[in-house]
């Protein structure tokens, strides 16, 4: 697992990722949010209502793990409860990206998860990605519903809202978000064509995910 970032590295990584999410059409304007853990046990998170194009490192807010502001002049993301809940529930999580990508959001509007229909989603996310029960954005109810529906996977859909993905690094979280959106698009294409969708076997999914975590992800980082 990658070394935790300093506070300033974390702030810079969030600004850089914000630009990437805009370029990749995973968010628009100031919607969605990004966070990462820092080496001193804090959570660096995007501010509320600040567009990614204009985001500066000094805009990024630092929270403790209970969600209280430690540093920063701006109001933290309204989804801070969601981020703190995922970090508490998923000890390996080092970064979280909440997107409003089109196809994942479309499935969330239908209260459907993303089926395990392609190999990369099971390798990276761990299998089918569930859709959490609807709750108003920014609430503890939403955070609790998301963690419950996540069931150890690296992503979850939020009903009528979007998707939340975590990773062992910021880039890992981005890969999860991109693969999730790809799988969601494929699922919708299959639905619209009227074709039968075959989900991958649960045992095979576990084998592929374990291999990815133990070996392939390390090869991607040059560690194996």
């Amino acid at each position: 697992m990658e070394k935790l970032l300093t506070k300033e590295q974390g702030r810079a990584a969030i600004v850089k990722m914000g630009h990437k999410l805009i370029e990749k059409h995973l968010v628009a304007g100031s919607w969605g949010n990004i966070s990462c853990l820092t080496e001193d046990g804090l959570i660096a998170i995007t501010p509320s209502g600040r567009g990614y194009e204009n985001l500066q490192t000094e805009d990024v807010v630092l929270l403790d793990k209970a969600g209280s502001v430690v540093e920063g002049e701006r109001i933290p993301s309204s989804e801070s409860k969601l981020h703190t809940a995922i970090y508490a529930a998923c000890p390996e999580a080092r970064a979280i990206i909440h997107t409003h990508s089109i196809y994942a959001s479309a499935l969330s509007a239908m209260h459907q998860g993303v089926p395990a229909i392609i190999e990369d989603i099971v390798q990276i996310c761990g299998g089918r990605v569930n859709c959490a029960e609807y709750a108003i954005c920014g609430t503890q109810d939403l955070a609790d519903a998301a963690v419950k529906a996540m069931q150890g996977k690296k992503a979850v859909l939020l009903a009528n809202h979007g998707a939340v993905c975590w990773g062992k690094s910021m880039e890992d979280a981005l890969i999860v978000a991109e693969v999730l959106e790809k799988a969601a698009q494929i699922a919708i294409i299959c639905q619209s064509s009227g074709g039968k969708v075959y989900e991958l076997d649960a045992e095979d999914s576990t084998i592929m995910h374990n291999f990815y975590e133990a070996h392939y992800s390390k090869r991607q980082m040059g560690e194996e």
Side-chain angles (χ1 to χ4, degrees), residues 10-11 13-22 27 30-37 43-47 52 55 60-61 63 76-77 79-80 83 87 94-99 165 170 173-174:
R11 283 174 157 144
I14 285 174
V15 171
K16 183 178 179 181
M17 184 55 65
H19 295 159
K20 284 187 178 181
L21 295 185
I22 289 287
V27 297
S30 61
W31 280 268
N33 29 76
I34 311 164
S35 74
C36 66
L37 295 183
I43 299 170
I45 193 166
T46 44
Y52 295 107
L55 191 65
V60 177
V61 184
L63 310 175
S77 169
E79 297 295 0
S80 295
H83 289 249
Y87 285 123
R94 298 288 185 88
I96 296 169
I97 296 174
H98 168 34
T99 72
C165 308
M170 192 71 80
L174 176 61

Side-chain angles (χ1 to χ4, degrees), residues 6-217:
T6 66
K7 290 187 291 186
E8 290 312 309
Q9 287 172 335
R11 283 174 157 144
I14 285 174
V15 171
K16 183 178 179 181
M17 184 55 65
H19 295 159
K20 284 187 178 181
L21 295 185
I22 289 287
E23 292 168 5
K24 293 175 180 292
H25 305 291
L26 294 173
V27 297
S30 61
W31 280 268
N33 29 76
I34 311 164
S35 74
C36 66
L37 295 183
T38 67
E39 62 183 9
D40 45 6
L42 299 179
I43 299 170
I45 193 166
T46 44
S48 177
R50 185 74 168 167
Y52 295 107
E53 298 95 334
N54 301 315
L55 191 65
Q56 304 294 320
T57 54
E58 58 267 25
D59 296 323
V60 177
V61 184
L62 291 167
L63 310 175
D64 62 22
K65 291 190 176 179
S68 299
V69 176
V70 175
E71 289 184 29
E73 299 300 319
R74 296 193 177 274
I75 298 170
S77 169
S78 60
E79 297 295 0
S80 295
K81 292 183 178 67
L82 176 64
H83 289 249
T84 56
I86 292 173
Y87 285 123
C90 306
E92 290 187 300
R94 298 288 185 88
I96 296 169
I97 296 174
H98 168 34
T99 72
H100 288 185
S101 55
I102 299 298
Y103 291 97
S105 296
L107 288 178
S108 81
M110 294 185 281
H111 292 202
Q112 293 182 14
V114 182
I117 53 176
I118 52 172
E119 291 183 345
D120 47 9
I121 194 172
V122 303
Q123 289 170 337
I124 292 171
C125 297
R128 163 180 277 269
V129 172
N130 298 322
C131 182
E133 291 186 9
Y134 177 78
I136 295 175
C137 58
T139 63
Q140 187 62 48
D141 286 343
L142 177 66
D144 293 342
V147 168
K148 181 180 178 181
M150 191 170 277
Q151 295 182 350
K153 308 291 192 341
K154 292 175 101 173
V156 66
L157 299 190
L158 307 177
N160 303 96
H161 193 154
V164 185
C165 308
W166 66 263
K168 297 178 182 179
S169 68
M170 192 71 80
E171 289 299 323
D172 185 32
L174 176 61
I175 290 171
V176 174
E178 290 183 295
V179 168
L180 182 71
E181 178 66 359
K182 171 191 168 185
Q185 182 176 5
I186 292 169
I188 288 176
I189 290 170
C190 291
Q191 286 183 4
S192 63
S193 70
K196 182 175 176 58
V197 176
Y198 295 89
E199 288 202 53
L200 292 165
D201 177 80
E203 183 177 349
D204 289 346
S205 296
T206 299
I207 291 170
M208 285 188 281
H209 178 63
N210 290 343
F211 177 80
Y212 177 84
E213 290 292 313
H215 300 287
Y216 197 75
S217 62

